[in-house]
Amino acid sequence: MVAGQILTLNAGSSSLKFALFEPLRDDATRCRVRGQLEGIGAAARLVVQTGDGGQPARRQWRADEAAPRDVRAALQVVLAELDSRGLLDGLRAIGHRIVHGGTEFSSARAVDDALLARIEGLQSLAPLHQPYGIACLRAARERFVHAAQVACFDTAFHRTQAFVEDTFALPREYYDAGVRRYGFHGLSYQYVAQRYAQLDPLRGRGRVVIAHLGNGASACALRDGRSTSSTMGFTALDGLPMGTRCGQIDPGVLLWLMQERKMDADAISDLLYRHSGLKGLSGLSNDMRVLRASESSRAREAIEYFVARLAREIAALAASIGGIDALVFTAGIGENDAAVRAGACASLHWLGVRVDDAANAAAVGGREARISTADSPIAVWVVPTDEESTIAGQTLDVIEPGAAAA
Ligand code: AMP
């Protein structure tokens, strides 16, 4: 057993998720508190939930209050909140979600100046995501000089993929320069794969496709719990359509935008990352709940496109692993939207997917559940994700190798 607690930090463009874990003897870790500060730079709000499942505490900044404007300020707010609860005493290590680990990092690493410089060198591979994790890491290092800092990479889980899965059909020099399919959401896939293997040990070691359907969305094929293929590619734009990102697109469209519309890289980046996906198609919102509640035909078509691409990608991933034993849904949409799951599964009936309608409808609100019928050749599950738990486990493994598995 390891003395001291582990804080996990997961910084995005407008949110900072955090959790505090206590290492245990038999179980890897136990979460004492978790939460997030959302709306950084705009209408900030903080939610803090204790591990015992009590009512969450909430704080909303009024318009005339000085709300946190960046990651550094958000971290100060979160730390002050944890400190006021006496939770920062005995902090042993801080685990950070770092989106991109390039070709170099296939596991979590302790952070020192040299490692930080290498992570910063990867910024061009994820310019819209990497800076927030780095800013948070820098701020935490300044504040906690004696606690270990550990970088946990979202790409690391996918470094097991074969050449045919992580290359593009470009001249080899580009592959050698790092132009590859990295895949993302790796911290989520690791958690869901491990948890599913506990729930269904036989199939969990088989051919599994996990669909992580949140504001960012991707799907991943696994064999024996290891990633073999992912829908996300060089950047977090590829694959499934997302809240505001386009997903798979013909690169010829980009050439057309440059040549005919005279759009430069910044304008195209803005279009593909912030104004496409569900938001672009519906012209309404990136939020699936808003689209569901709408009567607009464009909102309906946006959902139809999402479901159609989802079914197609799941089938493609199943082909890449020679068949499928289990399909697992996770993240905001995957854990809550029974109609999206039902729609994708209906398109996969030919593959042997049979959903129990009542079980599917009941599997909402972050509950683990099997939603396939008893006689379905392919098991279909909902397994809520917990990236923070993966970060804590990886951090523990770095500071005390072998402890997390003990
Ligand atoms: P995540 O990125 O995992 O937090 O997922 C966020 C997305 O999940 C939101 O943008 C919503 O579109 C979706 N979501 C959350 N709750 C629900 C729900 N009850 N029904 C449908 N979609 C939901």
Side-chain angles (χ1 to χ4, degrees):
M1 184 160 114
V2 184
Q5 308 192 78
I6 296 169
L7 173 66
T8 67
L9 295 172
N10 178 349
S13 57
S14 66
S15 72
L16 175 62
K17 290 186 187 155
F18 60 92
L20 198 74
F21 288 83
E22 175 182 26
L24 299 177
R25 192 181 300 275
D26 319 314
D27 217 348
T29 51
R30 177 170 60 203
C31 183
R32 296 192 65 191
V33 65
R34 67 172 67 221
Q36 62 181 322
L37 202 159
E38 289 177 318
I40 298 170
R45 56 208 174 273
L46 176 70
V47 181
V48 185
Q49 169 90 58
T50 50
D52 57 18
Q55 277 294 318
R58 295 175 196 277
R59 176 177 173 197
Q60 176 101 36
W61 276 257
R62 292 191 317 268
D64 59 339
E65 278 182 303
R69 302 180 69 84
D70 58 18
V71 172
R72 187 172 277 268
L75 181 61
Q76 275 176 6
V77 169
V78 166
L79 294 177
E81 174 69 27
L82 294 175
D83 212 13
S84 72
R85 295 167 180 243
L87 289 169
L88 288 182
D89 305 337
L91 188 64
R92 167 88 187 272
I94 304 178
H96 298 263
R97 173 175 176 245
I98 300 294
V99 168
H100 220 302
T103 54
E104 213 177 332
F105 300 114
S106 53
S107 60
R109 295 294 171 87
V111 179
D112 56 16
D113 291 342
L115 191 107
L116 184 54
R118 279 151 75 191
I119 295 172
E120 284 182 321
L122 296 168
Q123 206 130 219
S124 70
L125 294 175
L128 296 181
H129 293 95
Q130 196 84 329
Y132 304 104
I134 291 173
C136 188
L137 179 50
R138 281 191 170 282
R141 283 186 91 204
E142 283 165 25
R143 166 79 192 263
F144 298 101
V145 284
H146 298 301
Q149 309 276 341
V150 176
C152 304
F153 302 98
D154 230 6
T155 49
F157 185 69
H158 302 292
R159 297 312 302 145
T160 48
Q161 293 180 6
F163 172 75
V164 294
E165 297 293 348
D166 86 339
T167 193
F168 296 101
L170 291 170
R172 270 302 269 265
E173 66 187 274
Y174 292 97
Y175 183 81
D176 298 336
V179 182
R180 305 181 184 192
R181 292 181 208 272
Y182 290 98
F184 298 88
H185 294 138
L187 298 167
S188 172
Y189 288 126
Q190 183 175 333
Y191 175 83
V192 174
Q194 286 176 350
R195 182 66 192 135
Y196 177 59
Q198 290 170 345
L199 294 166
D200 191 352
L202 202 58
R203 288 176 190 267
R205 287 198 299 275
R207 300 161 301 178
V208 178
V209 173
I210 302 175
H212 174 111
L213 310 177
N215 202 27
S218 71
C220 177
L222 303 98
R223 262 182 189 277
D224 198 17
R226 288 152 67 96
S227 167
T228 62
S229 185
S230 162
T231 60
M232 270 190 177
F234 179 55
T235 65
L237 273 179
D238 202 4
L240 299 172
M242 306 173 219
T244 61
R245 289 175 247 159
C246 58
Q248 188 275 331
I249 190 167
D250 176 353
V253 174
L254 312 189
L255 298 175
W256 184 87
L257 292 172
M258 286 188 280
Q259 288 162 347
E260 299 299 321
R261 291 287 177 94
K262 308 297 179 208
M263 288 170 73
D264 63 10
D266 286 344
I268 293 177
S269 172
D270 198 42
L271 173 71
L272 303 185
Y273 275 99
R274 298 199 176 90
H275 299 288
S276 298
L278 295 175
K279 183 181 171 195
L281 276 174
S282 68
L284 187 64
S285 171
N286 63 315
D287 192 318
M288 189 61 92
R289 288 163 292 194
V290 175
L291 302 190
R292 282 258 169 253
S294 165
E295 289 178 359
S296 125
S297 59
R298 290 192 179 175
R300 180 174 42 76
E301 285 167 357
I303 299 174
E304 282 171 5
Y305 181 77
F306 184 86
V307 170
R309 297 304 303 199
L310 175 60
R312 181 173 161 146
E313 293 290 351
I314 291 169
L317 289 171
S320 78
I321 43 175
I324 174 170
D325 301 306
L327 170 62
V328 184
F329 290 98
T330 195
I333 297 170
E335 293 167 24
N336 291 295
D337 196 317
V340 162
R341 296 190 301 248
C345 288
S347 297
L348 297 167
H349 189 271
W350 60 275
L351 196 56
V353 174
R354 309 276 183 276
V355 164
D356 178 322
D357 292 339
N360 183 39
V364 291
R367 268 200 297 281
E368 288 175 344
R370 180 180 164 134
I371 59 168
S372 48
T373 59
D375 63 350
S376 177
I378 294 164
V380 186
W381 282 75
V382 175
V383 176
T385 193
D386 186 353
E387 290 165 303
E388 278 58 46
S389 169
T390 305
I391 297 170
Q394 290 188 358
T395 301
L396 186 55
D397 228 15
V398 167
I399 60 172
E400 199 99 349

